Amino acid sequence: MVRQKNTKPGRGKKTTKSKQKKEESLVFNCTSCAQPQLLVQGKRNILSHPSLQVGMCRECLIFSHSDLTPRDSEGYDIYCMWCSELGNLTCCDVCRAPICQECITRNVSAEYFDSVAEQVEWRCFVCESEPIEQLRKI
């Protein structure tokens, strides 16, 4: 139920540009599902990915916590470590963690994803966190 304050007749609420800007900054897109999340004061609805230390919504965090991590015949995880979905996976050359093309493109850039194929040794964002440092500041 939504409650509104009573206002005196003729005194409607005016929304100033600074208030609109403040309201816009209270929305956060989950780094896993990209769904907008409203930041509510006093409520912890934005949580941290256990390995990447970036913001994600409660539903994605619950979904990503699985005791079973299926692996292929070569020992690689078959789900993205970020969103826990299947997809076009790129595996880290150091720790073998897979991250899907969608997560890399959405959270870093399409250009970065394209450059991954050209790298001799690609390190995931756990092994080399510099590409996602901005996401960790949220």
Side-chain angles (χ1 to χ4, degrees):
M1 185 168 124
V2 177
R3 293 185 180 188
Q4 296 179 343
K5 285 185 176 180
N6 290 334
T7 57
K8 294 181 181 179
R11 290 193 174 185
K13 289 186 176 180
K14 292 183 180 180
T15 306
T16 62
K17 287 184 181 180
S18 63
K19 187 172 183 178
Q20 286 175 342
K21 194 171 187 178
K22 185 177 179 183
E23 288 173 359
E24 289 172 8
S25 67
L26 296 177
V27 175
F28 166 83
N29 288 338
C30 173
T31 61
S32 182
C33 69
Q35 293 298 311
Q37 303 292 316
L38 183 63
L39 295 175
V40 180
Q41 188 174 1
K43 184 177 178 187
R44 288 191 44 93
N45 57 332
I46 301 300
L47 303 169
S48 182
H49 187 283
S51 303
L52 299 169
Q53 305 303 311
V54 295
M56 63 191 311
C57 67
R58 183 175 307 281
E59 289 80 15
C60 288
L61 184 64
I62 291 169
F63 183 70
S64 70
H65 279 298
S66 174
D67 293 338
L68 299 174
T69 306
R71 298 178 187 264
D72 66 10
S73 60
E74 296 177 10
Y76 288 94
D77 293 347
I78 62 170
Y79 294 109
C80 173
M81 73 169 299
W82 200 321
C83 68
S84 301
E85 298 281 345
L86 292 169
N88 181 10
L89 300 175
T90 300
C91 294
C92 177
D93 291 318
V94 176
C95 72
R96 302 177 94 176
I99 300 180
C100 72
Q101 177 180 358
E102 189 175 342
C103 284
I104 294 172
T105 302
R106 177 179 52 244
N107 293 298
V108 183
S109 71
E111 292 80 20
Y112 178 84
F113 179 78
D114 292 340
S115 74
V116 168
E118 300 168 4
Q119 295 178 20
V120 175
E121 180 180 270
W122 181 71
R123 294 174 181 239
C124 70
F125 305 122
V126 173
C127 295
E128 178 60 51
S129 64
E130 192 273 326
I132 62 168
E133 282 303 316
Q134 289 296 334
L135 296 173
R136 290 181 166 184
K137 294 178 182 179
I138 296 175

